[in-house]
């Protein structure tokens, strides 16, 4: 991998890693939502280091190592989107239950008065 | 026996009073609860004035969730029988005593008011008719019992079903054919009761719009498929 590309990907992975840690430290991102981001940045870092492994996958897919890296990035983003949908789905259920509880409690209060 | 009529309602101000009055004139001992799904008009106010207990959602959440709020109310207040009818005046309350009687005599858990069990004046749109025939056939094959109107919102249910309907197993995103299949696999007995339903020309259907229709079909097929897979898994585990 050309040095410029290496530096680019190292920078990206480091920026993601530091940014996520900083967001968690400032309590702007919850720990349970940060793990996938951190994992992705670490994997990116390791893949750039393990260039031979990357080349093997690239040969298998008949693509360049850089294209493989980009493709993996897209997969990682899809995983992040999936995680968001999972969180969203579980929160929808929680919001539904909470709204129903409020409705029932308000009804109980209104009918007593 | 404690009985309650639950009426999910969204923007039903012009119709809700009439529905409540009809129920009261039929049987004044019935408790009536209107669940207002965040209406933009005065549905809640009119319903309260007409003599119903009103529960108001803080925002619009959809028909299925509104129904479930009614089930939760019924469960909390230990009702034995729950009658659910729509707030748009399409369901004639005069069938209530007959449906309850059928439920008790046949010892079933759910009685569905069917528009198609016998020939009636009710005329569904061609899209709705096709959808109903497809899903009714599917339910009939899966549960092994003839079902003609799986989308009917006119139902009578026993308290035995309430804890199930208030759980997360309840498919609150269009609870129709898939709910019947889930209830069947959960061991509840279902029957249909023939009835005449009135046309409502002033109101849009909850399945209105091409996208909503497509989503409904997708959701229903997926939900039924998943129920069947789960059922097979359960059966395999039991073996």
């Amino acid at each position: 991998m050309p040095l410029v590309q290496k530096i680019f990907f190292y920078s990206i992975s480091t920026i993601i890693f530091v940014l996520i840690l900083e967001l968690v430290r400032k309590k702007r991102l919850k720990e349970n939502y940060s793990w996938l981001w951190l994992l992705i940045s670490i994997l990116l870092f390791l893949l750039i280091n393990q260039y031979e492994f990357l080349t093997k996958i690239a040969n298998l897919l008949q693509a360049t190592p850089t294209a493989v890296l980009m493709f993996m990035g897209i997969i990682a983003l899809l995983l992040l989107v999936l995680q968001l949908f999972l969180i969203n789905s579980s929160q929808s259920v929680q919001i539904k239950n909470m709204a129903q509880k409020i409705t029932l409690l308000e009804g109980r209060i209104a009918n007593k008065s | 026996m404690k009985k309650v009529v639950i009426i999910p309602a969204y923007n039903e101000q012009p119709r809700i009073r009439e529905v409540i009055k009809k129920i009261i004139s039929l049987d004044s001992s019935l408790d009536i609860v209107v669940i207002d799904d965040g209406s933009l008009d005065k549905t809640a106010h009119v319903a309260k004035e007409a003599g119903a207990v009103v529960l108001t959602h803080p925002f619009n959440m959809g028909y299925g969730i509104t129904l479930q709020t009614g089930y939760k109310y019924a469960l909390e207040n230990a009702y034995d029988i729950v009658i659910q009818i729509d707030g748009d005046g399409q369901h004639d309350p005069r069938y209530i005593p007959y449906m309850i009687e059928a439920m008790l005599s046949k010892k079933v858990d759910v009685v569905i008011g069917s528009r198609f069990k016998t020939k009636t004046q009710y005329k569904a749109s061609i899209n709705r008719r096709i959808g109903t025939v497809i899903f009714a056939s599917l339910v009939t094959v899966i549960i092994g019992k003839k079902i003609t109107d799986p989308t009917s919102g006119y139902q009578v249910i026993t308290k035995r079903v309430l804890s199930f309907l208030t759980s997360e197993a309840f498919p609150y995103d269009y609870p129709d054919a898939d709910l019947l299949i889930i209830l069947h696999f959960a061991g509840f007995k279902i029957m249909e009761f023939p009835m005449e339903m009135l046309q409502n020309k002033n109101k849009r259907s909850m399945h209105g719009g091409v996208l909503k229709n497509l989503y409904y079909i997708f959701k229903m097929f997926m939900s039924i498929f998943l129920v069947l897979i789960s059922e097979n898994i359960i059966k395999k585990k039991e073996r």
Side-chain angles (χ1 to χ4, degrees):
Chain A
M1 184 184 276
L3 186 66
V4 181
Q5 281 184 13
K6 258 191 168 176
I7 293 171
F8 175 74
F9 286 120
Y10 274 135
S11 313
I12 296 275
S13 98
T14 314
I15 288 169
I16 294 173
F17 193 82
V18 174
L19 181 72
I20 296 301
L21 283 185
E22 187 60 13
L23 286 172
V24 174
R25 193 182 67 82
K26 285 186 174 170
K27 305 282 178 201
R28 289 178 64 188
L29 180 67
K30 288 193 76 183
E31 289 87 342
N32 51 342
Y33 302 144
S34 66
W35 67 269
L36 192 54
W37 282 102
L38 292 173
L39 185 71
I40 288 166
S41 67
I42 292 165
L43 280 179
L44 182 63
F45 199 88
L46 291 176
L47 273 177
I48 305 159
N49 260 334
Q50 298 294 315
Y51 191 69
E52 275 180 23
F53 176 69
L54 200 60
T55 316
K56 271 184 194 168
I57 299 173
N59 288 337
L60 204 71
L61 298 172
Q62 295 181 344
T64 63
T66 315
V68 170
L69 212 53
M70 287 292 188
F71 178 69
M72 284 182 168
I74 292 169
I75 301 235
L77 286 178
L78 286 176
L79 282 175
L80 283 168
V81 172
L82 179 65
Q83 191 197 27
L84 280 179
F85 275 102
L86 287 173
I87 294 163
N88 184 278
S89 297
S90 100
Q91 287 186 345
S92 295
V93 174
Q94 288 167 346
I95 290 167
K96 173 197 76 102
N97 288 336
M98 192 167 66
Q100 285 179 321
K101 200 161 249 179
I102 290 169
T103 304
L104 292 168
L105 286 172
E106 277 185 349
R108 205 182 291 167
I109 293 164
N111 293 320
K112 269 185 184 165
S113 58
Chain B
M1 261 187 182
K2 270 180 89 179
K3 287 172 253 175
V4 64
V5 181
I6 59 170
I7 311 173
Y10 178 66
N11 292 344
E12 298 291 5
Q13 186 189 341
R15 295 163 285 266
I16 196 77
R17 186 191 304 274
E18 188 64 22
V19 174
I20 295 165
K21 292 282 176 208
K22 272 186 186 174
I23 298 167
I24 292 171
S25 65
L26 177 86
D27 184 352
S28 56
S29 72
L30 287 172
D31 290 341
I32 304 168
V33 181
V34 170
I35 306 103
D36 171 29
D37 189 20
S39 294
L40 303 170
D41 60 10
K42 290 182 178 168
T43 300
H45 179 73
V46 174
K48 199 167 189 177
E49 253 186 11
V53 168
V54 178
L55 305 173
T56 306
H57 279 169
F59 45 87
N60 182 258
M61 292 195 280
Y63 179 76
I65 296 178
T66 312
L67 265 182
Q68 200 188 41
T69 304
Y71 299 145
K72 286 185 177 180
Y73 176 86
L75 188 69
E76 263 190 22
N77 293 281
Y79 283 99
D80 300 300
I81 291 174
V82 178
I83 303 112
Q84 72 177 57
I85 71 169
D86 287 350
D88 58 5
Q90 277 192 297
H91 298 150
D92 191 340
R94 73 188 158 96
Y95 293 105
I96 292 173
Y98 302 109
M99 287 171 82
I100 294 173
E101 196 186 310
M103 188 174 77
L104 297 174
S105 62
K106 306 264 183 198
K107 293 192 170 76
V108 294
D109 301 292
V110 182
V111 179
I112 307 161
S114 169
R115 291 162 281 190
F116 309 117
K117 197 167 171 68
T118 53
K119 204 166 173 60
T120 64
Q121 297 290 311
Y122 181 81
K123 281 192 176 63
S125 67
I126 186 75
N127 287 348
R128 177 175 268 266
R129 194 72 193 107
I130 292 169
T132 305
V133 167
I134 291 170
F135 288 115
S137 312
L138 209 56
V139 177
T140 301
V141 169
I142 294 169
I143 74 171
K145 188 181 176 75
K146 176 97 176 148
I147 296 291
T148 58
D149 196 359
T151 62
S152 170
Y154 197 166
Q155 296 182 8
V156 176
I157 55 180
T158 58
K159 66 174 176 188
R160 212 165 78 85
V161 195
L162 281 180
S163 53
F164 187 82
L165 294 175
T166 50
S167 74
E168 293 309 327
F170 179 70
Y172 50 81
D173 201 8
Y174 299 121
D176 282 347
D178 52 347
L179 176 62
L180 298 182
I181 295 170
I182 294 170
L183 287 173
H184 167 76
F185 284 134
F188 298 112
K189 285 182 186 157
I190 302 160
M191 72 169 279
E192 280 192 321
F193 189 88
M195 63 176 45
E196 182 84 47
M197 286 200 199
L198 310 164
Q199 300 275 10
N200 186 347
K201 288 169 186 161
N202 302 320
K203 198 176 174 241
R204 284 186 65 185
S205 159
M206 85 168 169
H207 303 308
V210 178
L211 280 180
K212 270 193 175 178
N213 273 327
L214 286 176
Y215 172 70
Y216 172 79
I217 293 166
F218 157 76
K219 185 264 162 179
M220 208 46 75
F221 274 119
M222 191 179 77
S223 182
I224 292 171
F225 177 66
L226 292 178
V227 172
L228 291 177
I229 290 178
S230 312
E231 180 58 20
N232 278 337
I233 293 169
I234 294 164
K235 274 182 183 166
K236 272 180 191 166
K237 274 184 185 169
E238 282 172 354
R239 266 179 226 149

